[in-house]
Amino acid sequence: MVYTAHTPPGTKKDTNTPFPSSYSPEYVESRWYEWWEKEGFFRPEQHEGLPHAVDQTFCLCIPPPNVTGSLHLGHALTVAVEDTLVRWKRMQGLRVLWVPGCDHAGIATQTVVERKLLRERGKHRRSFSRQEFLQEVWSWKNETGEEIYQQLRQLGASLDWSRACFTMDPGFSRAVTEAFVRLSDSGLIYRSEALVNWSCALESAISDIEVDLKELPGPTMLSVPGYERTVEFGTLFTFAYQTEDDGVEVCVSTTRPETMLGDVAVAVHPDDPRYQALHGKQCRHPFTHRLLPVITDPSIDMTLGTGAMKVTPAHDHTDFLLSQTHSLPRLTVIGGDGTMTPPCGQWLQGVKRFDARQLVVEALAEKKLFRGRRDHAMNLPVCSRSGDVIEPLIRKQWFVRCSEMAQRAVQAVEDGELEIIPQIHTKTWKNWLSSISDWCISRQLWWGHQIPAYQVELPENQEGQWVWGRTEDEARQRAALQYGVKPEAVALTRDPDVLDTWFSSALFPFAMLGWPDETPDLQRFYPNSILETGSDLIFFWAARMVMLGSVLTGRLPFKQILLHPLVRDKHGRKMSKSLGNVIDPLDIIHGVSLEKLLEKVVEGNLDPREQLVALVAQRTDFPNGIPGCGTDALRFALCSNSIQGDAISLSVSQVLTCRNFCNKMWQTLRFTLGALEDNPTPLTSLDQIRPVGVMDQWICSRLYSTVERCERHLQAYELHSAASSLQDFWVHSLCDVYLECVKPVLAPAAADGGPSRQQACSVLFHCVGVSLALLAPFMPFITEELWQRLHAPSAAATPQASLCLQPYPRSSQLAHCHFPEVERDFLLVQEVVRVARTLRAQCGLTREKPAMWAVCSPPEAQMLLRFQSAVGTLGRVSSLQVFCPHGADGPAHLTAPPSGSPVGVVSHTPPPSGSLVGVVSHTCQLHLHVQNASDVDQQVERLTQRRNKLVPRLEEALHTLRSPDFLSKAPARVQQQMENKVSALQQELKTIEEQLEALEVTPTTE
């Protein structure tokens, strides 16, 4: 079903149309967002007009998604969590600002546009000038850049779109330049030669976060960009060097024999007895004939390989550090394009590095220096952007000095100025920042923020020095002042490199507010209130924001860091295109066929073998495609998982369960509106309501308890607990209990159509209304739709009223509705009802309302008498006789329930012997009398079959629980679940044995 009423975009949805009979997310989620956005409900300026406004601010930025991509479930989780917090704070009356943004994603965007140009025009980037290529990128961005924002709107994100910023916008670019200049002036940015992660396919350095470690169990054939054939990795090659004076062999092992052309030394441990005689000697390189000293270093692992290590400082991070310690030269033998360099010799010059590998191995064998190969498990560093194998290369780059800034970031957490939630990440924060390396921030790309640094060219200046400035003119003035010449005598050449995308992203909390200018937004909303993001970005984004924000603004950029875990599939696996388990959130929202899912896999540019695995996975997991569940169901499912745990395992079935909850809400409101239509008496306001009936008191008290739990859980960012409390109240308290109990009262033909009906209508109205407000931050679309229909007369009088701006319910408003003793007593009733239903089911009494006996203590008898109507209605009991073994004072008969039929009496005699017994508590039992031998035989058969099924399940569970591996490796949460399962199985088996024993002596009537 879809919404078809004529509603111009941005105008309020018409909720006076007939109420559809069933819930449809397509119907519910249409039109609301456009109205919210046009009315400015998401802007902090609307705060001034709120009657419940408080003089507090709440500000955060959304982790800016890449302009190249589409949203995945990780983004959806971020939006669900952040929007829930934002809407909650807005309803509390705070001045809220949630800023949307988009990251220019230097490497990813340049790669996408290069592929597009090659595919459509057959041209490479180098076929264009830099400015021409940048024009192509901007054209692509302007065509597709809004897609990510539209997806955020579909997720219901209540962002202030009037303040949206793109990291390449002029204002943001000015902030990036300002940051670079200030950091350079203070000595925190410097230029140096160092070993960096290099992608030969991109011909650029890349950041640590863009390096994936691919686990290889042994020899593995992989596709590498630029190679027609696959390349083998996961093999360890061993070859020999010979000492210069006596020809003694020193064998070394490597997974990259092509780099041996860059070897400058052989390193051994000083205490290794095998090489004591070689200390200080030299080996002759078999191809370049260089002399390689045998050096000693305590960092060498004597147990690894042969215990002797080849040292290639220009192509290995560990070797680079050794070269610093031992003053070794650094010889680059692989160029930025991935081909061998001239120092390798003519036989290898210009050869691709992995083609050279085989040539080197063959040449070593020819010289009788090759000593073999063996399988080797390893982690292969791969560029996440290009799929290329990372090549460590020495390059002159710009770096940020991090040690002092990192120490201040650690101190901020230790001093309590910055809180990390959950605290488990605090130790990781300290460990990582305490051993941080300087940050390489230059990238050899065209798309991005070009570094505002210039090389100075002067006639008498042989070696070019570097200056920087906000503009070229400022840089020229700085150079003139530095060298004592006139500005016009200075020639400048700007560095062609661009800054790492993470550098600009690290400025987001204040650059989005207009920094470096002292704008009103910066004064009001900085520092931000909180940063919420994935735990995988704690270092690459969160830590860098803290470091740069503190230095550039003098203040921490936010007061709290809330980290959520990765979203995994239902099997607990990380979502990966190669596994075929990636789920597009829009496919969950709108639904998708299996055929379309398979098309996406085929179009995903996967390796053929990975594509086959992915296709099989899609057919297995989604044989009928994915049904449309809607935004509200997806958001609620995501928020129903603990964001402070290890991981979130999400399945479509979980989202479908939440969609069913949406339908439950829909049907509840249909019933409520029907009841209110038949009630002409005005409803009592929430602050005036004073429930008298015991069930009215109970549901009002449950509502109070739910509001109180929500307050507590949301304050602690325990969204899953708040969501669970709300769903539990709506489904299990409001629908399963209260509505069933009051249906007879609310029926048009009810005998009691006076005060009881009036009070039930008021109580129902407020229970539904308050619950919708509580759920609004989690499920904005359906709650708005239902709230507008529930408040149709008042909403019509104030056409701009929206649930998203209503006050969030507070427990203090419902203190007069709190009846803790009623809630406590009703727990017994719920257990009695549960046991009664179990006994009926065991006897196959699906429709009949049998007679039962309750054997209990006097206080329990009083509780059952008080809630007699609920017991009869919910337990489907026609007659309940209450017997107290030690005597009980009380009425001779229970008051008739609303239907008018008597429930039972207080009995002074025990139930018939041989009755089927259900245990409610250690002092309360229910008895169901079995009438004849046929019933007994059937019951014995049912119980025996059930016992036979439970025994092996219990044995299996006990075996698992007692397993040493399980006890040592399983998380505490899993162990607790297993213990609960064992306890439940043991209790059920015990009850079955007791019932079978009772049935053996049951007298029967012929």
Side-chain angles (χ1 to χ4, degrees), residues 831-853:
E831 277 301 295
V832 168
V833 168
R834 182 187 65 80
V835 174
R837 290 175 174 175
T838 300
L839 292 176
R840 287 176 45 245
Q842 289 177 352
C843 291
L845 304 175
T846 56
R847 297 185 179 182
E848 298 88 343
K849 293 184 178 181
M852 290 192 186
W853 282 259

Side-chain angles (χ1 to χ4, degrees), residues 129-183:
S129 68
R130 181 171 186 147
Q131 288 306 313
E132 289 172 341
F133 179 77
L134 291 180
Q135 284 297 324
E136 295 289 340
V137 179
W138 276 109
S139 297
W140 175 87
K141 188 269 176 186
N142 293 333
E143 291 173 6
T144 63
E146 281 295 314
E147 290 180 8
I148 204 89
Y149 286 166
Q150 292 305 321
Q151 291 172 346
L152 289 171
R153 288 180 170 96
Q154 288 188 62
L155 288 170
S158 57
L159 294 148
D160 182 358
W161 294 104
S162 68
R163 289 173 167 86
C165 59
F166 175 49
T167 49
M168 288 292 287
D169 286 341
F172 206 106
S173 296
R174 187 165 73 90
V176 172
T177 299
E178 181 70 25
F180 184 92
V181 171
R182 290 193 189 185
L183 293 171

Side-chain angles (χ1 to χ4, degrees), residues 20 50 65 74 216 274 343 382 474 479 533 632 671 737 865 880 943 994:
L50 296 180
L216 304 180
R274 294 170 293 180
V382 176
E474 180 182 328
T533 189
D632 287 320
F671 175 84
V737 176
L865 292 173
L880 180 67
L943 290 173
E994 291 173 351

Side-chain angles (χ1 to χ4, degrees), residues 611-894:
Q611 185 181 103
L612 182 61
V613 172
L615 290 171
V616 171
Q618 294 281 16
R619 289 191 180 98
T620 302
D621 290 343
F622 312 114
N624 300 311
I626 299 175
C629 300
T631 297
D632 287 320
L634 174 60
R635 287 172 53 128
F636 199 74
L638 289 166
C639 288
S640 295
N641 290 273
S642 174
I643 62 170
Q644 298 185 35
D646 298 330
I648 291 178
S649 294
L650 186 75
S651 65
V652 173
S653 62
Q654 287 177 281
V655 188
L656 279 171
T657 299
C658 294
R659 188 192 190 282
N660 294 337
F661 175 46
C662 290
N663 186 61
K664 176 74 76 172
M665 294 168 61
W666 190 263
Q667 300 305 331
T668 302
L669 196 80
R670 278 176 56 82
F671 175 84
T672 302
L673 293 179
L676 296 179
E677 285 178 2
D678 297 330
N679 180 55
T681 311
L683 299 173
T684 307
S685 62
L686 183 60
D687 59 337
Q688 294 296 319
I689 197 168
R690 295 296 184 272
V692 176
V694 66
M695 291 310 298
D696 293 331
Q697 290 180 341
W698 176 78
I699 194 64
C700 286
S701 191
R702 285 286 300 119
L703 181 63
Y704 166 86
S705 298
T706 302
V707 174
E708 187 275 330
R709 287 192 186 98
C710 270
E711 288 176 330
R712 180 158 34 89
H713 293 314
L714 287 174
Q715 199 64 43
Y717 303 128
E718 296 170 349
L719 273 60
H720 66 293
S721 297
S724 176
S725 295
L726 290 169
Q727 187 172 12
D728 180 68
F729 172 78
W730 192 296
V731 175
H732 301 300
S733 296
L734 182 60
C735 294
D736 291 353
V737 176
Y738 184 70
L739 287 184
E740 293 302 316
C741 289
V742 299
K743 278 179 180 178
V745 178
L746 295 175
D752 184 3
S756 296
R757 179 191 178 116
Q758 168 62 22
Q759 184 169 90
C761 284
S762 296
V763 168
L764 179 58
F765 174 84
H766 292 301
C767 282
V768 172
V770 172
S771 297
L772 288 173
L774 291 170
L775 282 162
F778 296 91
M779 311 168 83
F781 293 103
I782 189 172
T783 53
E784 183 77 77
E785 177 88 25
L786 298 182
W787 185 86
Q788 293 287 348
R789 290 183 178 273
L790 184 65
H791 294 79
S794 57
T798 55
Q800 304 311 314
S802 170
L803 176 57
C804 68
L805 296 183
Q806 299 306 305
Y808 200 74
R810 302 191 310 274
S811 58
S812 58
Q813 296 172 298
L814 290 163
H816 61 287
C817 293
H818 189 206
F819 302 96
E821 71 288 347
V822 175
E823 283 196 74
R824 183 182 62 249
D825 292 350
F826 195 72
L827 293 175
L828 172 68
V829 176
Q830 289 178 302
E831 277 301 295
V832 168
V833 168
R834 182 187 65 80
V835 174
R837 290 175 174 175
T838 300
L839 292 176
R840 287 176 45 245
Q842 289 177 352
C843 291
L845 304 175
T846 56
R847 297 185 179 182
E848 298 88 343
K849 293 184 178 181
M852 290 192 186
W853 282 259
V855 179
C856 57
S857 65
E860 290 170 325
Q862 293 301 320
M863 295 178 200
L864 294 179
L865 292 173
R866 187 180 183 191
F867 289 100
Q868 55 163 319
S869 176
V871 173
T873 301
L874 301 175
R876 294 184 63 82
V877 176
S878 63
S879 172
L880 180 67
Q881 299 194 42
V882 181
F883 172 72
C884 298
H886 304 294
D889 296 329
H893 295 274
L894 297 177

Side-chain angles (χ1 to χ4, degrees), residues 241-370:
Y241 279 122
Q242 294 179 340
T243 57
E244 173 67 4
D245 54 355
D246 51 14
V248 175
E249 279 196 1
V250 182
C251 291
V252 296
S253 298
T254 179
T255 58
R256 302 195 301 154
E258 68 276 9
T259 64
M260 63 89 64
L261 277 301
D263 288 356
V264 296
V266 175
V268 297
H269 194 283
D271 299 332
D272 194 331
R274 294 170 293 180
Y275 302 112
Q276 292 290 326
L278 298 182
H279 294 185
K281 292 195 173 186
Q282 293 181 316
C283 297
R284 177 71 67 177
H285 197 288
F287 302 128
T288 65
H289 307 296
R290 289 190 307 274
L291 287 175
L292 314 180
V294 177
I295 63 173
T296 61
D297 194 281
S299 67
I300 304 302
D301 186 350
M302 290 185 286
T303 65
L304 187 64
T306 64
M309 187 179 83
K310 61 189 285 295
V311 182
T312 321
H315 297 282
D316 185 272
H317 292 283
T318 301
D319 296 359
F320 183 81
L321 297 177
L322 277 175
S323 73
Q324 292 178 319
T325 303
H326 297 276
S327 302
L328 298 173
R330 300 158 187 168
L331 182 63
T332 297
V333 294
I334 299 176
D337 62 353
T339 62
M340 308 305 286
T341 61
C344 299
Q346 291 186 353
W347 67 294
L348 284 181
Q349 182 179 345
V351 178
K352 293 180 181 180
R353 52 183 171 153
F354 299 130
D355 291 338
R357 176 173 298 180
Q358 184 60 32
L359 294 178
V360 169
V361 170
E362 291 173 356
L364 286 168
E366 187 177 329
K367 289 181 176 289
K368 303 188 183 309
L369 295 174
F370 186 65

Side-chain angles (χ1 to χ4, degrees), residues 372-412:
R373 53 190 289 167
R374 61 183 176 87
D375 298 352
H376 180 67
M378 62 179 293
N379 288 324
L380 184 71
V382 176
C383 174
S384 64
R385 302 299 183 186
S386 64
D388 192 20
V389 176
I390 295 299
E391 186 64 52
L393 291 184
I394 290 180
R395 287 289 186 271
K396 285 189 176 181
Q397 303 282 291
W398 294 93
F399 293 86
V400 176
R401 300 184 197 276
C402 293
S403 57
E404 291 185 12
M405 291 190 295
Q407 188 53 46
R408 286 198 292 268
V410 170
Q411 197 65 43

